Amino acid sequence: MVHVPGMPAQDRLTLAELSGVAGRYGSGTDRDVDRDQAVAAVRAVTDDPVLLGIQAGAAMADPVGISAPTVELLAAAGADMTVAEQHAAEVRERMERQGVRYDRPPP
């Protein structure tokens, strides 16, 4: 779940749905689906570049490094990648405070 304090409940619900759809098409069960179909599925959830960027940032902060296809999908769907980079930094910082180790440099 994406943690964005102060975000309206509807936007948080959209991010939750976006997380599932982007993950499924980015690196999950539907990762081999045609790229245009995957982008359309993401945009069916939202085409808001900020929300797409927040979700891309959460994926960029993946400490294991398996979410790159999800980040690429969200970028193709119109994510604001400046928002993504900012959110990724916030998520990394929060996770590091909780003891998560990053063995690779951020993208």
Side-chain angles (χ1 to χ4, degrees):
M1 181 68 174
V2 176
H3 175 72
V4 183
M7 178 173 278
Q10 183 59 49
D11 287 346
R12 288 191 312 245
L13 289 171
T14 299
L15 285 172
E17 183 179 0
L18 185 57
S19 175
V21 171
R24 187 174 85 225
Y25 285 95
S27 59
T29 57
D30 290 330
R31 67 184 166 271
D32 295 325
V33 168
D34 175 74
R35 179 62 158 217
D36 290 337
Q37 182 180 345
V39 168
V42 167
R43 287 185 179 152
V45 175
T46 186
D47 60 0
D48 181 324
V50 172
L51 293 178
L52 292 166
I54 290 169
Q55 189 60 49
M60 288 169 77
D62 164 27
V64 183
I66 61 171
S67 296
T70 301
V71 174
E72 292 168 8
L73 173 60
L74 290 161
D80 181 327
M81 296 310 287
T82 300
V83 169
E85 291 168 11
Q86 292 168 348
H87 190 68
E90 293 169 12
V91 171
R92 277 190 209 95
E93 181 181 313
R94 194 167 44 250
M95 291 176 73
E96 287 171 347
R97 282 195 313 262
Q98 295 173 0
V100 174
R101 291 196 45 193
Y102 283 87
D103 295 327
R104 60 183 177 76

